[in-house]
Amino acid sequence: MSDAVRPGVVRAAALAHKPAFWVILALLAAGGLRIAQITWRFLDAYPIATLTAVVLFALLAVPFWLFVSELDFLEREPASLRVLAFAWGGLVATTVSIPASTALDNLIAKLGSPALAADWGAALAGPTVEETVKTLGVVAIVLIARAQVNSVLDGVVYGALVGLGFQIVEDVVFAIGAVAQAGQGDQVQPVVTTLLVRGFLAGVWSHTLFGALAGAGIGYLVVNPDRTRRHRIGMAALALFGAWASHVLWNSPFFRDGLGNGALALLAVLLFKGLPPLLLTLYLVRRAHDAEAAYYVAKLATLRDPSLITPDELRVLGSGSRRAAARRHAGARAGRRARVAVRRLQRAQARLAVDLSRAPAQAHETEAASEVRAHRSRLESLGHPEAVEGVRSWRHTVSTAGTTAVAIAVIWVALSALGGG
Amino acid sequence: MGRVTRSQHTDLPGTLALPLALVIVLVLAGLTFGLPLLDRAVPAQRAVPAGESYEVGAGVTIVPPPGATLDVTGTRPGGTQGTALFQLSTRPDESPVRYAIAVQPFDGDLTAAAVRLRQRITGTSGHRLTGTQLAVSTAGGLAGVQGGYTAGGRGGRYAVFVAHGLTIEVTVSGDDRELARTLAAIDASTRTLRHEGRR
């Protein structure tokens, strides 16, 4: 989508001086109050089910959070802004979407027909309201911390986290709705079913994905000032449309009754509805990641200082799989401490790259440069001085195959249980 | 990368942060309050032909009471499930009685369906069951049970039927006096519930 990377720096204290920050904070507080009210009502009616839902979906959020946070290894977004993005999705976007989506669904029934609303209400009302509100969360981050949106990938990360926050709170609401609908009192079984359906089966291609797509558009809008405003807004609108269309397809009545019974039929429906946006987003993330990696690696290459980064480490740092391979290689060759040290070295090198892009002249004297040298000497003392890849080990191949088999088995069990196969 | 362009100098988010944040507030307020206001401004009631059966969903039909209107906000027909919401009023100054029918797949028996519906009713704040549960049947041969509940100053009736892998839940609620005036017509309507097979 874009090759642009525009590094900047945001000071936490400066945020407090921005009136826009307080406006966004007020919105978060209002959303938090509303969600607290809803949660309190749930706790009053179904305490065990509510606590179970909150804990299970919070646990489900952890791997998503870690994965999304790691997407931008080279220039990690500040934790405060990641939390803000998540909170916007979970508190503001949900608070707005509950009454607005219901109203839009009703309007579809009134201006069209109840049958139209039954078939297309969820497909049109939900995406229209939810994608708009979630995207505004990324815009809000741009308004208060413009310097932290430096690349399309940053937009992807913030958008995905807004989507994740929305998804988790929405899942809890749906779980308690299922408990109420079941009419069997304070039971956890409907919560577990909701976790299987909305967490495991629908979780991969749900709000996190749609949010990432729309966030990529906002990232492009912000980091390409050399393009015309019309072009940038057009690209952002196209990305938002992509998120909306993906959501519409997911909620659409197509194959609502499935392609027959059994796990394979359910899998086919999931793939038909979820795979196109997943592949599109993965492609965008890959391009944005590679563009950003190329930019920062080029910055580090100008140092020509092997104590900070060697030519082989430059090749490794730009790729997530190579970074992981270098850590594994260190672990296999010099033990767990070397593995940890390589990870720390890579992190420090990434921070150094960001420092370099902001103030090239002082890069050699920054804190990150000192950290790199400290981790380098630690690695030297462990007998593994360079963070490079090794030969792919059979142990890693077996481990990857085993993990994949377990994941497929879990999905298959869930599909079989739900698909009647 | 190093060139600073004119559009960079006039960085839109940086210079217009507060006005744009206020625009966000306006958009959110429009969605949160404006859309529901618009929804309320558009009438939800539709006339239903007197004496004709209405398909609720999954092949289940009912003949609405004379004078009832269909509330489209609570009506969602479907092939495997569905809901219909009718409103019935004998006097314009009284709030109408709500007469809702919900059909959904169900693999239990009538007792389980009744327990489920009763728990849902009592699970709603301020709602409690009254009287005893009685057997009820429809002209189409559906067998079910019915009972009553109260919610503050309002009264309510429920009935539940199980047939063909479906549960058909009927709930009626309204002001006590208006409910008393319309209940005979609603009971007569409930007895017209029929399963006509999947369409």
Side-chain angles (χ1 to χ4, degrees), chain A residues 278-303:
Chain A
L278 179 66
L279 292 178
L280 176 63
T281 307
L282 286 178
Y283 170 74
L284 284 177
V285 166
R286 183 65 190 256
R287 277 206 61 177
H289 177 274
D290 289 353
E292 191 181 273
Y295 172 78
Y296 283 117
V297 167
K299 288 283 171 196
L300 285 168
T302 62
L303 289 172

Side-chain angles (χ1 to χ4, degrees), chain B residues 5 8 11 13 21 64 71 88 92 101 121 123 129 153 165 178 180 189 191:
Chain B
T5 65
Q8 271 176 285
D11 178 20
D71 185 330
L88 201 55
I101 301 108
I121 290 169
L129 298 167
E178 190 67 352
S189 166
R191 283 195 293 273

Side-chain angles (χ1 to χ4, degrees), chain A residues 5-6 19-20 23 92 96 100 103 105-106 109-110 114-115 117-118 133 136 142-143 146 180-185 225-226 295, chain B residues 1 5 7-8 11 13 17-18 20-21 25 27-28 31-32 35-36 39 42-44 46 72-73 75-77 104 116 119-120:
Chain A
V5 179
R6 295 194 176 274
V23 174
V92 178
V96 173
D105 188 47
N106 284 344
K110 289 173 179 177
V133 182
L136 287 178
V142 171
L143 295 183
R146 162 66 187 86
Q181 180 66 25
Q184 292 171 343
D226 296 339
Y295 172 78
Chain B
M1 291 297 296
T5 65
S7 52
Q8 271 176 285
D11 178 20
L18 182 60
L20 288 174
V25 174
V27 173
L28 296 181
L31 290 169
T32 313
L35 262 182
D39 173 31
V42 179
R46 300 282 182 275
V72 294
T73 63
T75 303
R76 296 289 181 271
Q104 53 189 306
R116 194 170 85 143
Q119 286 216 355
R120 278 224 308 280

Side-chain angles (χ1 to χ4, degrees), chain A residues 364-386:
Chain A
H364 281 83
E365 290 83 40
T366 63
E367 196 180 322
S370 307
E371 280 179 35
V372 170
R373 290 195 179 96
H375 295 310
R376 174 80 64 204
S377 59
R378 170 90 177 130
L379 277 170
E380 282 167 352
S381 72
L382 291 167
H384 184 76
E386 197 177 13

